[in-house]
Amino acid sequence: MSWETVIGLEVHVQLATVSKLFSASSTRTGDEPNSNASLIDLAMPGTLPVVNREAIRHAIRFGLAIDAEIGRRSVFERKNYFYPDLPKGYQTTQLAEPIVGAGVVELQLEDGTRKSVRIHHAHLEEDAGKSLHEAFSDETGRAMTGIDLNRAGTPLIEIVSEPDMSNAEEAVAFARKLHAIVTSLGISDGDMSQGNMRFDVNISVRRPGEPLGTRTETKNLNSFRFMEKAIKLEVERQIDVLEDGGEVVQETRLYNGETNTARAMRSKEDANDYRYFPCPDLLPVLVSEEEINELRDALPELPDARKARFVEAYALSEYDAELLCADLATAAYFEAAAKQGGDAKLAANWVMGELTARLNADDIGIAQSPVSAEHLGELIQRIKDGTISSKIAKQVFDACWAGEGSPDQIIESKGLKQMSDTGELEKIVDDIIANHPAQVEDYHGSDDAKRKKKIGFFVGQAMKATQGKANPQQLNQLLQQKLNG
């Protein structure tokens, strides 16, 4: 009998505010350790927190984007636990009365099917500091751990899904959709390399029809690729344990993307273990109907609306539009390249094909792409007007990626313009036919279906002779005239 996988996600999203959730300290990253930590962040006695109103408004924007209930009254609570980078000894968060209630996120999967993932709630909370395990040692050279509290108190929303996903692909599609939503809203930069969006994945397996199995939580996954691998690894592990007669232990696990391995981190706590209680230093947060309506009216274009516009305006398939809208920066890049190049389908193919492959290979985001949208648009223009062939276009793209200039500059400096002179091409075709009599005889002895394949040999020879610069359409016409004439 087969196994069913049940997956739910808890997603931490750092909010794009200038200051922290309860203090005026900057949320800027990259500064000297502990230079952005106030007395409040350091938990000095006698200090009192003040809620950052913009963080609340960002959380409401997210709730409105997923058609969720917005808590007119929400309450901050203390979640008590000890961590070296949590000087207060508790995290200020929300449990019983969160700012965002139940909502739903719609997905379109690769096979064309649609799926709804329910959101249980999303709550506001502060981040902890960071333990630095490298570059510190005492006078004897013994390794030490440093604490950087710059991140302590940074505002987060934690988005908690229902266990509605049944495989790694669905979980990744859900994570990508959340990323598209928060970046479209402008409430987070979604930069996973900096930990500004990270995923905790709850996984269990069961036989069909049986109650939910014991779940484990794999924490702090900060890339879609690692999340997919970590889920598949944990599902396999749980199935192996159960099929060997063992029991899955409820625990928190840590995944290592470099080795594709995971290990138990600690036993999983329940809410009671954290001794939650309302924070006595903070009043309940009250949100008026007027403020919610104001935020709703000011929502920007969201991924689903953008996708529908791409399908209608650019005649793209729903799947292509979904991929391009998975990230606001990618969508903006595509639109700029399509407008400059004058061919949306060609621009979509280049963005989803060559560009994405190069970004993945170099492990960088589209914002760091060495080829700008304007340059890709210029490249598409040169393909469209026949200046270069598609094959040469890849060579130009590579040079552009290497920083050798704009497509026009590269085409000119490398002499890559497509050969379209009929007389010149005709001479090359005549030479090839004259130099390959056996292939010509074989061609003439074949039926029409086989001739279509065999003409590829002559095309290849012509491209070799012209270093790939021959106009393919003209070349095919000339070869057919000469060989069939």
Side-chain angles (χ1 to χ4, degrees), residues 382-393 411 415-421 424-425 463 466 468-474:
R382 296 300 161 253
I383 300 171
K384 289 270 291 175
D385 64 18
T387 302
I388 54 173
S389 65
S390 296
K391 184 177 180 182
I392 291 293
I411 292 167
L416 297 176
K417 282 186 180 175
Q418 191 165 244
M419 286 178 59
S420 299
D421 184 284
E424 202 173 357
L425 286 176
M463 283 296 182
T466 61
K469 292 188 282 187
N471 183 312
Q473 194 176 359
Q474 275 184 283

Side-chain angles (χ1 to χ4, degrees), residues 417-439:
K417 282 186 180 175
Q418 191 165 244
M419 286 178 59
S420 299
D421 184 284
T422 303
E424 202 173 357
L425 286 176
E426 194 169 8
K427 184 177 182 309
I428 291 169
V429 167
D430 286 342
D431 287 346
I432 289 169
I433 290 175
N435 293 332
H436 298 86
Q439 284 80 5

Side-chain angles (χ1 to χ4, degrees), residues 14 76 79 168 237 242 252 275 310 324 327 346 359 361 407 415 443 455 478:
Q14 180 174 324
F76 283 104
K79 179 183 181 183
R237 188 191 72 86
L242 294 172
T252 297
R275 295 172 289 114
F310 278 17
L324 292 169
D327 176 81
L346 200 51
L359 293 172
Y443 177 86
I455 204 169
L478 279 171

Side-chain angles (χ1 to χ4, degrees), residues 29-269:
T29 58
D31 289 354
E32 285 293 313
N34 297 311
S35 60
N36 293 329
S38 69
L39 295 178
I40 292 175
D41 307 319
L42 296 170
M44 289 293 138
T47 57
L48 289 172
V50 177
V51 179
N52 183 334
R53 191 75 192 175
E54 191 58 20
I56 292 170
R57 290 166 68 86
H58 279 349
I60 294 172
R61 290 183 178 100
F62 173 74
L64 293 171
I66 62 165
D67 199 23
E69 302 165 9
I70 305 299
R72 270 53 173 179
R73 179 184 189 276
S74 63
V75 174
F76 283 104
E77 293 169 273
R78 291 183 177 181
K79 179 183 181 183
N80 297 276
Y81 64 98
F82 172 78
Y83 253 40
D85 50 17
L86 187 68
K88 291 192 294 187
Y90 60 84
Q91 179 187 31
T92 306
T93 181
Q94 297 183 317
L95 178 68
E97 297 182 72
I99 184 76
V100 175
V104 66
V105 172
E106 301 289 345
L107 307 179
Q108 175 144 6
L109 304 174
E110 190 170 352
D111 63 4
T113 59
R114 299 188 67 83
K115 186 179 184 71
S116 299
V117 176
R118 294 167 297 155
I119 300 296
H120 182 276
H121 76 275
H123 61 261
L124 276 162
E125 65 182 26
E126 61 181 345
D127 207 347
K130 187 176 180 182
S131 297
L132 305 173
H133 301 296
E134 299 176 352
F136 287 97
S137 60
D138 63 14
E139 62 277 4
T140 67
R142 187 173 54 185
M144 299 174 66
T145 295
I147 303 295
D148 178 8
L149 293 175
N150 279 356
R151 187 186 277 274
T154 298
L156 308 174
I157 50 170
E158 181 176 342
I159 304 162
V160 182
S161 84
E162 298 286 1
D164 288 345
M165 290 152 279
S166 53
N167 55 54
E169 289 74 19
E170 289 180 6
V172 170
F174 172 71
R176 287 186 182 279
K177 190 61 173 287
L178 284 183
H179 187 272
I181 291 172
V182 300
T183 53
S184 294
L185 288 168
I187 64 173
S188 175
D189 63 12
D191 187 347
M192 289 179 279
S193 68
Q194 296 298 315
N196 297 348
M197 189 168 185
R198 48 193 195 265
F199 309 94
D200 300 343
V201 187
N202 291 292
I203 303 168
S204 65
V205 298
R206 65 178 174 185
R207 296 290 191 188
E210 291 184 349
L212 288 173
T214 301
R215 65 184 168 88
T216 62
E217 181 182 38
T218 303
K219 289 189 74 67
N220 288 332
L221 299 166
N222 64 352
S223 86
F224 300 128
R225 184 162 54 94
F226 285 167
M227 187 169 78
E228 183 172 0
K229 287 184 174 182
I231 291 172
K232 289 180 176 176
L233 186 72
E234 177 59 12
V235 168
E236 287 177 10
R237 188 191 72 86
Q238 290 191 18
I239 291 173
D240 286 346
V241 169
L242 294 172
E243 290 188 342
D244 288 344
E247 291 184 2
V248 175
V249 177
Q250 183 172 327
E251 63 186 9
T252 297
R253 298 181 65 78
L254 203 58
Y255 175 75
N256 184 330
E258 293 183 2
T259 58
N260 192 35
T261 57
R263 61 177 174 82
M265 189 176 168
R266 61 174 185 265
S267 61
K268 177 66 180 171
E269 299 87 349

